[in-house]
């Protein structure tokens, strides 16, 4: 699929973007591989590592529709990874988060349609399911925009849009793992914990990239893909990183949940289970009916039971402290 293809990644200098691009360069022979991001320093630094002849670096912001239209000329596949993601920052700067996560999503859709891109996958988050914070709410809106965009395509080369939703990425920039490690490096005598009951879904960068690549082959358009991944208690994560170090309970931060959800109970009638993932079908009808129990890769799924919810607190796959250490080593 990606040999001799042109692929663009918004937010391409981020943790996901860099690993995605590294994987494509190792595994395929793309015609063009375009990094679209707004930080010239990060692009300069990235060019020192990724300088293959197919690489292109395009300065721009997803808030700028015209710039996106230029960047997507003759592009076959798009991964939309650009977003403002820090929950507390979004609570204090809501309009900035909306401009990037909602208006930016709309601009990506418009530019993809304008340029007849074949397939677009937008990265989402577990915080978009039953959101209680602004970041999650903007990503829910973004998810809805990308799903509904399948209703306005047409012509000989219709663009298809899908969403990939997953949990915390182990070791990604801004996540709790590097935060804890920095505290330890600075000589901290305790680790701050918001609530000892708190759980989160965890996935490695490699698993996230592989899941996106597989879903380009699986997608029909309109799906929200959710991987089956493990959960972990925040206290067990702290123990895995700093055995025996005291914990300081600081309370839940603005917009934070005790547990995260990836497939809400209210969407159980739309959810299909496959061997290693779930698909949330669109709640709206498209002009062309699609059978989401069988994907384009030939995999067969089945509807989940009514009342099903995929919740990090009730997830049967819970990592032990040794397993968390193994996961951190993989990352």
């Amino acid at each position: 699929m990606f040999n001799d293809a042109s692929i663009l990644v918004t937010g391409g200098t981020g943790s996901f973007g860099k690993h995605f691009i590294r994987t494509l360069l190792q595994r395929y022979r793309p015609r063009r591989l375009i990094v679209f991001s707004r930080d010239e320093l990060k692009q300069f630094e990235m060019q020192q590592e990724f300088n293959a002849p197919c690489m292109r670096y395009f300065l721009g912001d997803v808030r700028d529709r015209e710039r996106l239209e230029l960047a997507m000329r003759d592009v076959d596949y798009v991964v939309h990874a650009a977003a403002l993601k820090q929950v507390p920052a979004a609570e204090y700067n809501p309009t900035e988060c909306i401009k990037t996560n909602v208006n930016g999503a709309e601009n990506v859709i418009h530019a993809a349609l304008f340029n007849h891109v074949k397939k677009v996958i937008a990265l989402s988050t577990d915080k978009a399911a039953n959101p209680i914070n602004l970041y999650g709410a903007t990503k829910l809106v973004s998810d809805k925009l990308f799903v509904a965009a399948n209703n306005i395509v047409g012509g000989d080369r219709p663009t298809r849009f899908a969403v990939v939703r997953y949990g915390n990425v182990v070791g990604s920039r801004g996540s709790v793992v590097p935060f804890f490690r920095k505290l330890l490096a600075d000589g901290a005598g305790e680790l701050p914990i918001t609530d000892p009951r708190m759980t989160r879904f965890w996935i490695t960068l490699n698993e996230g990239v592989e899941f996106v690549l597989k879903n380009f082959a699986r997608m029909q358009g309109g799906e929200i893909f959710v991987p089956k991944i493990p959960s972990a208690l925040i206290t067990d994560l702290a123990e895995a990183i700093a055995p025996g170090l005291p914990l300081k309970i600081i309370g839940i931060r603005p917009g934070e949940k005790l547990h995260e959800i990836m497939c809400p109970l209210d969407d159980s009638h739309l959810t299909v289970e496959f061997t290693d993932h779930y698909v949330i079908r669109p709640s709206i009808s498209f002009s062309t009916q699609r059978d989401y129990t069988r994907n384009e890769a030939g995999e067969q799924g089945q509807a989940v039971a009514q009342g099903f919810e995929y919740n990090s607190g009730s997830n049967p796959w819970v990592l032990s402290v040794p397993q968390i250490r193994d996961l951190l080593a993989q990352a």
Side-chain angles (χ1 to χ4, degrees), residues 1-9 20-35 50-56 74-77 213:
M1 178 183 290
F2 300 113
N3 287 329
D4 199 35
S6 183
I7 305 112
L8 180 143
V9 185
F20 182 80
I21 285 163
R22 181 182 293 110
T23 302
L24 286 179
L25 289 173
Q26 291 173 347
R27 197 175 298 175
Y28 302 101
R29 298 181 304 280
R31 183 174 72 257
R32 285 189 306 155
L33 194 45
I34 306 164
V35 173
F50 302 101
N51 57 3
C54 65
M55 292 298 303
R56 303 288 186 274
D74 197 32
V75 164
D76 299 299
Y77 305 104
L213 289 172

Short mmCIF file of all heavy atoms in Angstrom, two decimals, residues 1-9 20-35 50-56 74-77 213:
data_model
loop_
_atom_site.label_atom_id
_atom_site.label_comp_id
_atom_site.label_asym_id
_atom_site.label_seq_id
_atom_site.Cartn_x
_atom_site.Cartn_y
_atom_site.Cartn_z
N MET A 1 0.81 -1.22 0.00
CA MET A 1 0.00 0.00 0.00
C MET A 1 0.85 1.27 0.00
O MET A 1 0.54 2.26 -0.66
CB MET A 1 -0.93 0.00 1.22
CG MET A 1 -1.79 1.25 1.35
SD MET A 1 -2.79 1.26 2.85
CE MET A 1 -3.97 -0.02 2.47
N PHE A 2 1.93 1.27 0.77
CA PHE A 2 2.71 2.50 0.95
C PHE A 2 3.92 2.59 0.02
O PHE A 2 4.57 3.63 -0.03
CB PHE A 2 3.17 2.63 2.40
CG PHE A 2 2.01 2.69 3.37
CD1 PHE A 2 1.79 1.66 4.27
CD2 PHE A 2 1.15 3.76 3.37
CE1 PHE A 2 0.74 1.71 5.16
CE2 PHE A 2 0.09 3.83 4.26
CZ PHE A 2 -0.13 2.80 5.16
N ASN A 3 4.22 1.52 -0.71
CA ASN A 3 5.30 1.60 -1.70
C ASN A 3 4.88 2.52 -2.83
O ASN A 3 3.77 2.43 -3.37
CB ASN A 3 5.64 0.21 -2.25
CG ASN A 3 6.39 -0.63 -1.24
OD1 ASN A 3 7.13 -0.12 -0.41
ND2 ASN A 3 6.20 -1.95 -1.31
N ASP A 4 5.77 3.46 -3.18
CA ASP A 4 5.53 4.44 -4.24
C ASP A 4 4.32 5.33 -3.95
O ASP A 4 3.71 5.88 -4.86
CB ASP A 4 5.35 3.75 -5.60
CG ASP A 4 5.57 4.72 -6.75
OD1 ASP A 4 6.44 5.61 -6.62
OD2 ASP A 4 4.86 4.63 -7.77
N ALA A 5 3.96 5.46 -2.68
CA ALA A 5 2.84 6.32 -2.28
C ALA A 5 3.37 7.58 -1.62
O ALA A 5 4.52 7.64 -1.16
CB ALA A 5 1.91 5.58 -1.33
N SER A 6 2.52 8.58 -1.58
CA SER A 6 2.84 9.84 -0.92
C SER A 6 2.03 9.91 0.37
O SER A 6 0.80 9.83 0.35
CB SER A 6 2.50 11.02 -1.83
OG SER A 6 2.86 12.24 -1.23
N ILE A 7 2.74 10.05 1.51
CA ILE A 7 2.09 10.02 2.83
C ILE A 7 2.43 11.30 3.58
O ILE A 7 3.60 11.74 3.59
CB ILE A 7 2.58 8.81 3.65
CG1 ILE A 7 2.36 7.51 2.89
CG2 ILE A 7 1.87 8.76 5.01
CD1 ILE A 7 3.62 6.83 2.46
N LEU A 8 1.44 11.90 4.20
CA LEU A 8 1.63 13.12 5.00
C LEU A 8 1.20 12.85 6.43
O LEU A 8 0.17 12.23 6.68
CB LEU A 8 0.83 14.29 4.41
CG LEU A 8 0.94 15.63 5.14
CD1 LEU A 8 0.94 16.79 4.14
CD2 LEU A 8 -0.21 15.83 6.14
N VAL A 9 2.01 13.34 7.39
CA VAL A 9 1.71 13.21 8.80
C VAL A 9 1.64 14.59 9.42
O VAL A 9 2.64 15.31 9.44
CB VAL A 9 2.77 12.37 9.54
CG1 VAL A 9 2.36 12.15 10.99
CG2 VAL A 9 3.01 11.04 8.84
N PHE A 20 6.34 6.66 13.54
CA PHE A 20 5.60 6.24 12.34
C PHE A 20 6.48 6.40 11.10
O PHE A 20 6.55 5.50 10.26
CB PHE A 20 4.33 7.09 12.22
CG PHE A 20 3.45 6.73 11.06
CD1 PHE A 20 2.60 5.64 11.12
CD2 PHE A 20 3.47 7.48 9.89
CE1 PHE A 20 1.78 5.30 10.04
CE2 PHE A 20 2.66 7.16 8.81
CZ PHE A 20 1.82 6.07 8.89
N ILE A 21 7.16 7.52 11.01
CA ILE A 21 8.00 7.78 9.85
C ILE A 21 9.20 6.83 9.82
O ILE A 21 9.57 6.31 8.76
CB ILE A 21 8.45 9.26 9.85
CG1 ILE A 21 7.26 10.13 9.43
CG2 ILE A 21 9.64 9.50 8.95
CD1 ILE A 21 7.38 11.58 9.76
N ARG A 22 9.80 6.58 10.98
CA ARG A 22 10.90 5.62 11.05
C ARG A 22 10.45 4.24 10.54
O ARG A 22 11.17 3.59 9.77
CB ARG A 22 11.41 5.51 12.48
CG ARG A 22 12.59 4.55 12.64
CD ARG A 22 13.05 4.42 14.08
NE ARG A 22 13.63 5.67 14.56
CZ ARG A 22 13.07 6.47 15.47
NH1 ARG A 22 11.89 6.15 15.99
NH2 ARG A 22 13.66 7.57 15.85
N THR A 23 9.26 3.82 10.96
CA THR A 23 8.74 2.52 10.55
C THR A 23 8.50 2.47 9.04
O THR A 23 8.85 1.48 8.37
CB THR A 23 7.44 2.20 11.30
OG1 THR A 23 7.68 2.23 12.71
CG2 THR A 23 6.90 0.83 10.91
N LEU A 24 7.91 3.52 8.48
CA LEU A 24 7.67 3.54 7.03
C LEU A 24 8.97 3.47 6.24
O LEU A 24 9.07 2.76 5.24
CB LEU A 24 6.90 4.81 6.66
CG LEU A 24 5.41 4.87 7.01
CD1 LEU A 24 4.82 6.20 6.59
CD2 LEU A 24 4.64 3.73 6.34
N LEU A 25 9.98 4.20 6.69
CA LEU A 25 11.26 4.21 5.98
C LEU A 25 11.95 2.85 6.05
O LEU A 25 12.63 2.44 5.10
CB LEU A 25 12.17 5.28 6.57
CG LEU A 25 11.79 6.73 6.26
CD1 LEU A 25 12.67 7.70 7.03
CD2 LEU A 25 11.86 7.02 4.76
N GLN A 26 11.78 2.15 7.16
CA GLN A 26 12.40 0.84 7.31
C GLN A 26 11.68 -0.25 6.51
O GLN A 26 12.31 -1.19 6.04
CB GLN A 26 12.42 0.45 8.80
CG GLN A 26 13.37 1.28 9.65
CD GLN A 26 13.23 0.98 11.13
OE1 GLN A 26 12.27 0.33 11.56
NE2 GLN A 26 14.16 1.46 11.93
N ARG A 27 10.37 -0.09 6.35
CA ARG A 27 9.56 -1.18 5.83
C ARG A 27 9.10 -0.99 4.39
O ARG A 27 8.82 -1.96 3.67
CB ARG A 27 8.34 -1.36 6.73
CG ARG A 27 7.63 -2.68 6.58
CD ARG A 27 6.51 -2.81 7.60
NE ARG A 27 7.01 -2.79 8.97
CZ ARG A 27 6.22 -2.79 10.04
NH1 ARG A 27 4.91 -2.81 9.89
NH2 ARG A 27 6.75 -2.77 11.24
N TYR A 28 8.98 0.27 3.95
CA TYR A 28 8.41 0.55 2.63
C TYR A 28 9.33 1.48 1.83
O TYR A 28 10.33 1.98 2.34
CB TYR A 28 7.02 1.18 2.78
CG TYR A 28 6.04 0.33 3.56
CD1 TYR A 28 5.77 0.62 4.90
CD2 TYR A 28 5.40 -0.75 2.97
CE1 TYR A 28 4.87 -0.16 5.63
CE2 TYR A 28 4.50 -1.53 3.68
CZ TYR A 28 4.25 -1.23 5.01
OH TYR A 28 3.37 -2.00 5.73
N ARG A 29 8.90 1.74 0.61
CA ARG A 29 9.62 2.68 -0.26
C ARG A 29 8.65 3.76 -0.74
O ARG A 29 8.22 3.76 -1.91
CB ARG A 29 10.22 1.93 -1.47
CG ARG A 29 11.24 0.86 -1.10
CD ARG A 29 11.82 0.16 -2.32
NE ARG A 29 10.77 -0.42 -3.17
CZ ARG A 29 10.17 -1.58 -2.93
NH1 ARG A 29 10.50 -2.30 -1.86
NH2 ARG A 29 9.23 -2.03 -3.74
N PRO A 30 8.29 4.67 0.15
CA PRO A 30 7.35 5.72 -0.24
C PRO A 30 7.95 6.68 -1.26
O PRO A 30 9.16 6.92 -1.27
CB PRO A 30 7.05 6.44 1.08
CG PRO A 30 8.22 6.14 1.95
CD PRO A 30 8.72 4.80 1.55
N ARG A 31 7.08 7.21 -2.10
CA ARG A 31 7.53 8.21 -3.07
C ARG A 31 7.85 9.52 -2.35
O ARG A 31 8.86 10.16 -2.63
CB ARG A 31 6.43 8.43 -4.13
CG ARG A 31 6.83 9.40 -5.23
CD ARG A 31 5.79 9.47 -6.33
NE ARG A 31 4.56 10.17 -5.91
CZ ARG A 31 3.42 9.57 -5.59
NH1 ARG A 31 3.33 8.24 -5.63
NH2 ARG A 31 2.36 10.28 -5.25
N ARG A 32 6.96 9.91 -1.46
CA ARG A 32 7.17 11.10 -0.63
C ARG A 32 6.66 10.82 0.77
O ARG A 32 5.63 10.18 0.94
CB ARG A 32 6.44 12.32 -1.20
CG ARG A 32 7.07 12.95 -2.42
CD ARG A 32 6.39 14.27 -2.73
NE ARG A 32 4.94 14.11 -2.85
CZ ARG A 32 4.05 15.10 -2.65
NH1 ARG A 32 4.46 16.28 -2.28
NH2 ARG A 32 2.77 14.87 -2.82
N LEU A 33 7.37 11.33 1.75
CA LEU A 33 6.97 11.21 3.14
C LEU A 33 7.06 12.60 3.75
O LEU A 33 8.16 13.14 3.93
CB LEU A 33 7.88 10.21 3.86
CG LEU A 33 7.48 9.68 5.22
CD1 LEU A 33 6.02 9.28 5.29
CD2 LEU A 33 8.36 8.50 5.60
N ILE A 34 5.91 13.19 4.02
CA ILE A 34 5.83 14.62 4.35
C ILE A 34 5.55 14.82 5.83
O ILE A 34 4.56 14.31 6.37
CB ILE A 34 4.73 15.31 3.52
CG1 ILE A 34 4.94 15.05 2.03
CG2 ILE A 34 4.68 16.80 3.81
CD1 ILE A 34 3.73 15.34 1.17
N VAL A 35 6.42 15.58 6.48
CA VAL A 35 6.22 16.01 7.86
C VAL A 35 5.58 17.39 7.82
O VAL A 35 6.18 18.34 7.30
CB VAL A 35 7.54 16.05 8.63
CG1 VAL A 35 7.34 16.67 10.02
CG2 VAL A 35 8.13 14.66 8.76
N PHE A 50 16.26 11.92 9.92
CA PHE A 50 15.46 11.42 8.79
C PHE A 50 15.73 12.30 7.58
O PHE A 50 15.10 13.34 7.39
CB PHE A 50 13.97 11.43 9.15
CG PHE A 50 13.62 10.63 10.37
CD1 PHE A 50 13.39 11.25 11.58
CD2 PHE A 50 13.50 9.25 10.30
CE1 PHE A 50 13.07 10.52 12.71
CE2 PHE A 50 13.17 8.51 11.42
CZ PHE A 50 12.96 9.14 12.63
N ASN A 51 16.68 11.88 6.75
CA ASN A 51 17.06 12.69 5.59
C ASN A 51 17.04 11.88 4.29
O ASN A 51 17.77 12.17 3.35
CB ASN A 51 18.45 13.30 5.80
CG ASN A 51 19.51 12.23 6.06
OD1 ASN A 51 19.22 11.04 6.02
ND2 ASN A 51 20.74 12.67 6.30
N ALA A 52 16.19 10.85 4.24
CA ALA A 52 16.05 10.06 3.02
C ALA A 52 15.55 10.94 1.88
O ALA A 52 14.89 11.96 2.11
CB ALA A 52 15.08 8.90 3.25
N PRO A 53 15.86 10.58 0.63
CA PRO A 53 15.45 11.41 -0.51
C PRO A 53 13.94 11.66 -0.59
O PRO A 53 13.52 12.69 -1.13
CB PRO A 53 15.93 10.60 -1.72
CG PRO A 53 17.06 9.79 -1.20
CD PRO A 53 16.71 9.45 0.21
N CYS A 54 13.14 10.74 -0.04
CA CYS A 54 11.69 10.90 -0.12
C CYS A 54 11.14 11.87 0.93
O CYS A 54 9.97 12.26 0.86
CB CYS A 54 10.99 9.55 0.04
SG CYS A 54 11.22 8.80 1.67
N MET A 55 11.97 12.27 1.90
CA MET A 55 11.47 13.10 3.01
C MET A 55 11.21 14.54 2.55
O MET A 55 12.00 15.12 1.80
CB MET A 55 12.46 13.11 4.17
CG MET A 55 12.61 11.79 4.90
SD MET A 55 11.08 11.23 5.68
CE MET A 55 10.67 12.61 6.73
N ARG A 56 10.10 15.09 3.04
CA ARG A 56 9.77 16.50 2.82
C ARG A 56 9.35 17.09 4.16
O ARG A 56 8.64 16.44 4.93
CB ARG A 56 8.64 16.66 1.81
CG ARG A 56 8.88 16.04 0.46
CD ARG A 56 9.92 16.82 -0.35
NE ARG A 56 10.02 16.28 -1.70
CZ ARG A 56 10.80 15.27 -2.06
NH1 ARG A 56 11.54 14.66 -1.14
NH2 ARG A 56 10.85 14.85 -3.30
N ASP A 74 -1.26 15.92 -4.32
CA ASP A 74 -0.75 14.62 -4.78
C ASP A 74 -0.41 13.68 -3.63
O ASP A 74 0.45 12.81 -3.76
CB ASP A 74 0.47 14.83 -5.68
CG ASP A 74 0.78 13.58 -6.51
OD1 ASP A 74 -0.17 12.86 -6.87
OD2 ASP A 74 1.98 13.32 -6.78
N VAL A 75 -1.09 13.82 -2.49
CA VAL A 75 -0.89 12.93 -1.34
C VAL A 75 -1.92 11.80 -1.39
O VAL A 75 -3.09 12.02 -1.69
CB VAL A 75 -1.00 13.71 -0.01
CG1 VAL A 75 -1.18 12.78 1.18
CG2 VAL A 75 0.23 14.59 0.18
N ASP A 76 -1.48 10.59 -1.08
CA ASP A 76 -2.36 9.42 -1.09
C ASP A 76 -2.96 9.13 0.28
O ASP A 76 -4.14 8.79 0.39
CB ASP A 76 -1.59 8.18 -1.56
CG ASP A 76 -1.05 8.34 -2.97
OD1 ASP A 76 -1.87 8.52 -3.89
OD2 ASP A 76 0.18 8.29 -3.15
N TYR A 77 -2.13 9.23 1.33
CA TYR A 77 -2.57 8.85 2.68
C TYR A 77 -2.15 9.91 3.68
O TYR A 77 -1.05 10.47 3.59
CB TYR A 77 -1.97 7.50 3.09
CG TYR A 77 -2.25 6.39 2.11
CD1 TYR A 77 -1.27 5.94 1.23
CD2 TYR A 77 -3.52 5.81 2.04
CE1 TYR A 77 -1.54 4.93 0.32
CE2 TYR A 77 -3.79 4.81 1.13
CZ TYR A 77 -2.80 4.37 0.27
OH TYR A 77 -3.07 3.38 -0.64
N LEU A 213 -1.06 1.35 11.04
CA LEU A 213 -0.73 0.76 9.74
C LEU A 213 -1.73 -0.33 9.36
O LEU A 213 -2.19 -0.39 8.20
CB LEU A 213 0.69 0.18 9.78
CG LEU A 213 1.84 1.19 9.83
CD1 LEU A 213 3.16 0.49 10.07
CD2 LEU A 213 1.89 2.01 8.54
#
